[in-house]
Amino acid sequence: MRGYTYGEQPSDRSIVKLNTNENPFPPSPKIRETLVNLDLEELRRYPDATSSVLREHIAARFGLTSGQVLITNGGDEAIRLVATACLTRNDVMVSSEPGYSLYPVIANVLNARWLPMELGHDFRPDAEAARRCIGQRARLVCMPNPNAPSGVLLTAQEVDAFAARFRGPLLIDEAYVDFIEPALKHDLVPLLARHRNLLLLRTFSKGYSLAGARVGYLLGEESFIEELATKVRDSYNVNCISQIVALAAFGDQEHARKTWEVVRLERQRVSDVLRERGFNVPDSQANFVLPQRCDKASLGDTYERLRDSKILVRYFKTTRLYDRLRVTIGTRTQNDAFLKAL
Ligand SMILES: *Cc1c(COP(=O)(O)O)cnc(C)c1O
């Protein structure tokens, strides 16, 4: 099997880093206070095994019970927990393609089979592809929404219809949910009451500028969450420092919201400039864009030359993505540096 290729994390801080979809703004300043006041006794002891305080805060915000929330060591652990619970040898996992390339790696290491649900040119699953997947008796379907790497958003109605037709576990990976335009009033949480097979994945890595702290969570049906929590998860899957850091960040919605607003404005600006220059840019609701050369020539050399000028973006050398770059939305200064170098 092939391993997962993660985005480069260069030590050179002068590099304009637009390659791994981090939030370009620092996390809430309230976190510093929490860390300075950390009682070292917390480190001597094992952490709160179920991250109960954070879990209750998250449940309260979404009008759920704390039994419907599972805190994980980053969103990636949530994917692995769900896959471990659902898949055994030769079982089928289906996920959007293009999509998040970690899904097939997790399926393969479990000796499960991975099948792509091919997305159309507009990065939406066409009805035929969706029907084929459901017909494959998939044991688990994973869909990033907004889609990665395009940023294209499926509406709540589309997810609702899919969850009703595919009765098996459906993991909607909402890693980028915070960057969705509020005017769209997109909210999948109410669907949890209608579909026992639905799981929503969230993370503090993107929206709350905490990729380094490794905290994510799952929202789902209570008995499903309990199975994951008691049988699949490591007992102490989230360390005490990450729990308090995430709690402080979650408590400071105002700070996080401000960063999302700037990212949205910059996303629009960068998309507009790229379109004026003749790139095709799918409408992104995430904190990245995926411009495509209109003549469909490769952008491999462009990626390399941007890299030489210390601008790091992501390039996927696949038949679907070779003529595109995935560019994280940075600060205005970073975006300008990218556009100028491009
Ligand atoms: C970033 C990301 C995640 C989760 O990342 P963590 O840092 O592990 O929380 C999950 N899915 C997608 C599509 C992502 O881009």
Side-chain angles (χ1 to χ4, degrees):
M1 62 172 282
R2 280 220 202 107
Y4 177 69
T5 318
Y6 44 82
E8 199 181 335
Q9 299 295 335
S11 52
D12 179 353
R13 293 288 158 120
S14 70
I15 287 179
V16 176
K17 195 173 172 305
L18 303 176
N19 68 330
T20 53
N21 300 342
E22 286 136 339
N23 190 318
F25 300 104
S28 164
K30 305 228 161 91
I31 292 171
R32 183 176 306 279
E33 208 177 309
T34 312
L35 287 177
V36 167
N37 294 328
L38 175 72
D39 182 352
L40 293 188
E41 179 69 4
E42 297 291 336
L43 290 175
R44 188 184 65 78
R45 293 198 196 182
Y46 280 97
D48 175 354
T50 63
S51 309
S52 57
V53 184
L54 181 58
R55 207 153 48 98
E56 275 155 26
H57 276 78
I58 290 171
R61 165 124 344 111
F62 297 118
L64 300 171
T65 66
S66 56
Q68 289 179 280
V69 183
L70 179 74
I71 313 293
T72 59
N73 185 21
D76 287 349
E77 189 199 20
I79 301 167
R80 191 178 297 280
L81 295 179
V82 173
T84 305
C86 294
L87 305 172
T88 185
R89 183 178 289 275
N90 293 332
D91 283 346
V92 173
M93 175 210 266
V94 165
S95 70
S96 320
E97 185 61 24
Y100 186 28
S101 52
L102 181 65
Y103 301 134
V105 176
I106 287 179
N108 286 339
V109 83
L110 294 167
N111 284 313
R113 287 180 297 151
W114 173 77
L115 288 179
M117 176 164 64
E118 297 288 348
L119 303 180
H121 288 296
D122 56 358
F123 293 97
R124 295 170 167 278
D126 60 51
E128 180 51 36
R131 206 171 9 252
R132 235 184 356 254
C133 292
I134 292 170
Q136 291 288 344
R137 299 181 197 287
R139 291 283 184 160
L140 174 63
V141 173
C142 302
M143 287 199 263
N145 192 46
N147 174 258
S150 68
V152 169
L153 182 73
L154 299 183
T155 64
Q157 291 86 329
E158 286 172 297
V159 174
D160 190 22
F162 196 95
R165 286 182 48 215
F166 174 67
R167 286 145 185 273
L170 172 62
L171 176 67
I172 302 292
D173 179 341
E174 299 195 285
Y176 300 100
V177 69
D178 301 313
F179 302 105
I180 298 172
E181 206 55 69
L184 294 178
K185 297 199 187 306
H186 179 90
D187 185 9
L188 299 185
V189 173
L191 296 184
L192 290 170
R194 294 155 45 82
H195 304 288
R196 301 183 66 219
N197 57 331
L198 182 63
L199 292 159
L200 304 179
L201 179 156
R202 304 275 178 96
T203 179
F204 285 85
S205 295
K206 317 302 183 2
Y208 293 85
S209 312
L210 286 178
R214 316 300 309 128
V215 187
Y217 56 95
L218 273 176
L219 305 177
E221 197 265 325
E222 269 190 12
S223 66
F224 199 147
I225 293 292
E226 190 181 340
E227 296 289 299
L228 296 176
T230 57
K231 298 178 184 170
V232 192
R233 183 185 67 102
D234 283 344
S235 320
Y236 305 108
N237 61 331
V238 182
N239 72 74
C240 66
I241 296 176
S242 293
Q243 288 184 36
I244 59 169
V245 163
L247 188 63
F250 199 67
D252 194 355
Q253 288 292 308
E254 202 187 322
H255 172 89
R257 198 157 292 165
K258 276 189 205 145
T259 72
W260 308 339
E261 276 163 22
V262 180
V263 167
R264 288 184 200 114
L265 289 171
E266 282 295 297
R267 173 178 70 203
Q268 189 62 53
R269 188 177 73 89
V270 171
S271 302
D272 290 345
V273 172
L274 290 169
R275 285 176 188 138
E276 279 163 23
R277 296 189 191 174
F279 287 91
N280 298 321
V281 188
D283 254 322
S284 172
Q285 290 296 326
N287 67 338
F288 51 82
V289 290
L290 188 71
Q292 176 188 40
R293 268 184 74 131
C294 50
D295 62 1
K296 310 228 158 93
S298 167
L299 280 174
D301 285 348
T302 307
Y303 162 76
E304 291 294 344
R305 294 188 57 190
L306 284 169
R307 203 167 186 290
D308 292 342
S309 8
K310 294 198 168 195
I311 312 264
L312 194 55
V313 300
R314 197 80 192 264
Y315 180 67
F316 302 98
K317 204 172 165 183
T318 63
T319 45
R320 275 297 293 272
L321 301 172
Y322 74 94
D323 56 352
R324 296 175 179 269
L325 295 174
R326 194 201 62 192
V327 187
T328 304
I329 301 300
T331 61
R332 192 177 175 99
T333 313
Q334 290 177 316
N335 301 333
D336 281 340
F338 158 69
L339 291 168
K340 183 155 178 256
L342 183 69

